Amino acid sequence: MKHQIICFLWILLVPFYLKAQTIESCDEMIVEGVNEMIQKNHLISLEILTQAQTLAQQNHWAKQEFLAINNIGVNYYMMLDYGEALEHYLEAYKIAVQSLDAKFEMTVLNNIAILYSKEHEYNKAEEYFSKAFALAKENNDSIKIGYYALNLATVGNVKKEVLKAEELLKTASAYLKPDSDVYLLLQIAYARNLMLQNNLAAAKQIALRNLSHLYLPNLAEYRLSNLLLLSSIYEAENDHEKAIEYLQKALVDPQLTFENEIDAYTDLSEIYQKTKRFELAFAAKDSLIMAKDRFYKVKNGKLFENSRIKFELANYQKELLDSQMKLKQERRLFYWIIGGIFLMLLFSFWAFRNYFAQLKQREIIAANARKIAELELEKEKSDKLILEQQLSEQNVLAQLEQVKFKNELESKNRQLASKALSILTRNDLVENIIESLSLESEISQNDNLRRRIFELKNHLKRESDWDEFFSHFEATNDGFLSALKEKHPNLTANDVRFLSYVYMNLSSKEIALLLNITIEACRKRKERIVKKMNLDNSEKLYAYISAI
């Protein structure tokens, strides 16, 4: 019994000692470091990621080493230390090329390109964006193809290569999802491209439409870019007041960055100079200088903080090396203990062999029983599935029959409407001919002809055609008229006739033609009938009578 307790305790301790050496623990450290970076705790993030990098290097885990180094670079990028960020990105790029696949290579290439674009080295940015774009196409990564094409198009707009940028925007539009946030950035880039091509109306239309989608705090960068773009468009149209209005909106935005503030005051100063408002131009220039001073003060402060963090990180790395040496010594002792535990486990295995053999036999019997029960359960599920499939097929057939019946009914109603229109056209023609003949003096003097014309007029006034139409309509639509009259007995014959045309889904123009009234009179009659039937509005009339 004593031996069993010792074995159990050491089995519990083994994962504790081995945890620091697993890939999973390294991944957990990277995730923790990234979370600290998002919270802008850069010192803590760099310490955790450096520890993960060291662990990955010792165990030759290329993926974990890449992720740790790349995120260290992102930390320095967020701290405005672009030089240190670039060094780590390039180191991560070497690991991706030598040991990993194109997915990792694309990621770091895009990071390097963004860094160069921040430094306004657009040729270098285009070079690395192009490499990432080519790899995305080789690997058929649709999301990355769209994203990198958009990045290249943005650089093309900056470099005034508008036709090249336009083709890249078309490519990006084919791959990016319209409901994603990145698609809004695509619309902004497309509007800027149109502005560069002097298609100001189209560019303005897109930029104004974007405003309603950019109100969320996480879209602040897109919103500010869109406001500055609108200002540029209005300035190009010589609408200086509108341009100033959008620049001022950008300047009062709570998410305004130093870069956007500098761009806004630069444009504002230029517009005031163009419009000869020199005092305002000087004020904007002063604000620009103050914004740049604040930016450089923050940047210099960041660089000073970076230097302090680097110093503390160096001390941390030294402490980490010392702790690793101590860990190696402890690990040697641990291996000796593991060896002793292994021997104890062998002895325990020999002692309990017979017990385990009996236990295994009972487990086999129980497993066979479970299998039989599972087979029976699977059979029941299979029978149930077959029954559900049969019911589903019957439902589909029933729906198809309903659709077929509805189509046939609509076809017959359309034939009835066509016939009614044809009869109306015929009667109008005959009536016109009768009117023309009545004006002839020879016919007015001939009693026989005048009597025949009078009979023909009486024939035109008869409602037999309408009665025949109603009988066909009633037969086709299975008691619709009876149901309508039963539900609304206050409807007149003319009301029922009007509703029959609505039920046939005829347009107001067609109904007006059949009733020999104007479209406006048709609309008023429809409103009167709707009111008589106590409905909310005329737009629901068709849906209501279709359900009768």
Side-chain angles (χ1 to χ4, degrees):
M1 186 67 181
K2 181 180 178 181
H3 291 230
Q4 296 173 18
I5 294 172
I6 294 172
C7 291
F8 177 73
L9 290 174
W10 279 110
I11 289 170
L12 289 176
L13 289 173
V14 168
F16 175 77
Y17 281 101
L18 293 179
K19 182 179 178 182
Q21 293 297 316
T22 62
I23 292 180
E24 289 77 10
S25 64
C26 191
D27 287 335
E28 288 174 5
M29 281 192 285
I30 293 171
V31 171
E32 184 182 356
V34 170
N35 289 335
E36 293 292 343
M37 177 182 68
I38 293 171
Q39 299 297 323
K40 297 185 180 180
N41 299 325
H42 297 297
L43 177 58
I44 299 174
S45 175
L46 287 169
E47 288 178 353
I48 296 170
L49 291 171
T50 301
Q51 186 179 355
Q53 177 190 355
T54 304
L55 182 61
Q57 286 174 341
Q58 289 175 346
N59 293 278
H60 306 290
W61 298 330
K63 176 183 174 183
Q64 283 69 27
E65 185 180 1
F66 169 87
L67 292 173
I69 295 173
N70 185 62
N71 282 296
I72 288 172
V74 176
N75 263 292
Y76 283 116
Y77 169 77
M78 293 175 68
M79 290 161 28
L80 304 179
D81 193 345
Y82 296 154
E84 195 71 32
L86 182 59
E87 287 184 14
H88 284 85
Y89 285 158
L90 291 173
E91 186 178 350
Y93 177 63
K94 290 178 183 177
I95 296 171
V97 171
Q98 294 171 1
S99 307
L100 299 173
D101 56 31
K103 178 179 70 174
F104 298 93
E105 188 179 348
M106 283 187 285
T107 300
V108 72
L109 282 170
N110 185 64
N111 288 346
I112 293 170
I114 290 173
L115 200 58
Y116 278 122
S117 66
K118 285 289 184 180
E119 292 284 4
H120 303 293
E121 296 186 27
Y122 296 111
N123 290 331
K124 275 287 187 181
E126 184 178 20
E127 176 187 344
Y128 283 97
F129 278 140
S130 298
K131 289 180 180 179
F133 182 59
L135 285 172
K137 289 199 293 187
E138 288 176 10
N139 291 271
N140 199 26
D141 191 331
S142 59
I143 295 176
K144 293 292 180 66
I145 291 172
Y147 186 69
Y148 297 153
L150 174 57
N151 288 341
L152 277 170
T154 303
V155 174
N157 281 339
V158 174
K159 295 175 67 177
K160 301 295 191 296
E161 297 174 353
V162 291
L163 296 180
K164 181 179 178 181
E166 183 181 8
E167 290 300 318
L168 288 164
L169 288 170
K170 290 178 181 177
T171 302
S173 178
Y175 288 95
L176 294 176
K177 295 181 179 179
D179 57 348
S180 64
D181 290 343
V182 179
Y183 202 82
L184 294 172
L185 185 59
L186 171 67
Q187 293 297 309
I188 294 171
Y190 186 57
R192 187 172 294 279
N193 185 264
L194 289 171
M195 182 191 73
L196 292 172
Q197 295 187 53
N198 207 30
N199 190 350
L200 301 179
K204 182 167 63 175
Q205 182 181 5
I206 294 172
L208 288 172
R209 187 175 65 236
N210 287 340
L211 282 178
S212 60
H213 302 290
L214 298 171
Y215 56 88
L216 295 176
N218 62 310
L219 300 176
E221 185 178 352
Y222 298 171
R223 181 172 63 250
L224 289 164
S225 297
N226 197 67
L227 289 171
L228 294 176
L229 173 60
L230 275 169
S231 173
S232 299
I233 293 171
Y234 279 114
E235 185 179 0
E237 291 180 340
N238 291 321
D239 191 345
H240 300 299
E241 297 306 318
K242 272 289 186 181
I244 292 170
E245 176 186 339
Y246 282 103
L247 286 174
Q248 290 174 342
K249 284 183 180 180
L251 288 170
V252 298
D253 194 293
Q255 304 293 327
L256 181 67
T257 63
F258 284 116
E259 293 175 345
N260 294 134
E261 185 179 10
I262 290 170
D263 291 340
Y265 276 124
T266 301
D267 293 343
L268 196 60
S269 175
E270 292 176 358
I271 293 173
Y272 282 141
Q273 285 181 353
K274 285 181 182 178
T275 56
K276 300 186 184 302
R277 287 179 275 185
F278 298 112
E279 288 186 6
L280 293 174
F282 287 135
K285 205 73 172 179
D286 290 340
S287 299
L288 172 62
I289 294 170
M290 292 171 64
K292 287 182 177 179
D293 287 342
R294 286 195 301 273
F295 174 69
Y296 291 125
K297 187 179 295 183
V298 171
K299 187 170 183 179
N300 291 335
K302 288 277 188 183
L303 293 176
F304 176 78
E305 180 68 14
N306 294 349
S307 300
R308 185 185 66 80
I309 289 174
K310 288 177 189 177
F311 177 74
E312 294 182 11
L313 193 60
N315 287 335
Y316 175 76
Q317 287 176 320
K318 183 178 181 301
E319 293 174 1
L320 186 62
L321 290 173
D322 292 340
S323 65
Q324 287 173 347
M325 291 296 296
K326 186 178 179 181
L327 183 63
K328 286 181 180 179
Q329 294 174 356
E330 293 176 351
R331 196 176 295 139
R332 291 193 189 98
L333 177 61
F334 175 70
Y335 289 151
W336 280 104
I337 297 172
I338 290 295
I341 293 173
F342 181 71
L343 293 175
M344 293 174 65
L345 288 173
L346 286 177
F347 176 77
S348 299
F349 175 76
W350 177 79
F352 290 101
R353 182 178 59 181
N354 292 332
Y355 171 76
F356 286 129
Q358 294 175 2
L359 184 62
K360 185 175 181 181
Q361 189 174 19
R362 288 197 294 269
E363 288 177 351
I364 290 172
I365 294 171
N368 289 335
R370 283 197 303 271
K371 286 182 180 178
I372 292 171
E374 289 173 357
L375 288 172
E376 291 178 352
L377 183 61
E378 287 294 328
K379 183 176 181 300
E380 291 178 2
K381 289 181 178 179
S382 178
D383 294 342
K384 184 178 179 181
L385 183 62
I386 291 171
L387 181 60
E388 289 176 352
Q389 289 176 346
Q390 291 175 348
L391 290 173
S392 177
E393 290 174 357
Q394 291 175 0
N395 289 334
V396 170
L397 289 173
Q399 291 176 0
L400 289 174
E401 286 295 327
Q402 290 178 358
V403 171
K404 181 180 177 182
F405 175 75
K406 183 178 180 181
N407 291 336
E408 290 177 353
L409 184 61
E410 289 179 355
S411 176
K412 290 180 179 180
N413 283 340
R414 180 54 63 179
Q415 289 175 5
L416 283 174
S418 298
K419 182 177 179 182
L421 288 170
S422 176
I423 292 171
L424 178 63
T425 304
R426 181 201 65 189
N427 289 347
D428 287 343
L429 179 61
V430 172
E431 189 174 348
N432 289 334
I433 293 172
I434 291 172
E435 292 296 329
S436 298
L437 290 173
S438 299
L439 298 175
E440 295 293 334
S441 58
E442 294 85 352
I443 294 175
S444 60
Q445 295 174 2
N446 189 322
D447 294 337
N448 187 35
L449 287 176
R450 281 191 293 108
R451 187 173 60 257
R452 292 296 183 184
I453 289 173
F454 180 75
E455 291 174 356
L456 190 56
K457 284 184 178 180
N458 288 336
H459 174 74
L460 289 176
K461 291 180 181 178
R462 288 187 304 169
E463 297 292 333
S464 60
D465 289 333
W466 169 241
D467 295 337
E468 182 183 355
F469 170 80
F470 251 24
S471 62
H472 283 299
F473 182 81
E474 177 72 19
T476 303
N477 292 277
D478 194 20
F480 164 72
L481 295 174
S482 300
L484 180 64
K485 291 176 182 178
E486 182 180 351
K487 199 163 187 178
H488 296 281
N490 59 334
L491 294 175
T492 65
N494 287 333
D495 294 340
V496 173
R497 180 180 181 184
F498 185 90
L499 290 172
S500 299
Y501 291 145
V502 174
Y503 182 76
M504 293 165 66
N505 201 17
L506 297 181
S507 66
S508 297
K509 183 177 180 181
E510 291 172 330
I511 295 174
L513 184 61
L514 285 169
L515 297 176
N516 196 24
I517 60 176
T518 65
I519 295 177
E520 179 63 22
C522 178
R523 183 184 64 80
K524 289 183 178 179
R525 181 178 292 188
K526 185 176 183 181
E527 290 176 352
R528 180 180 58 77
I529 293 173
V530 166
K531 186 175 180 181
K532 185 183 290 187
M533 295 173 72
N534 295 322
L535 299 180
D536 293 340
N537 55 61
S538 59
E539 293 180 359
K540 296 182 179 179
L541 180 60
Y542 176 75
Y544 174 76
I545 63 175
S546 297
I548 292 179

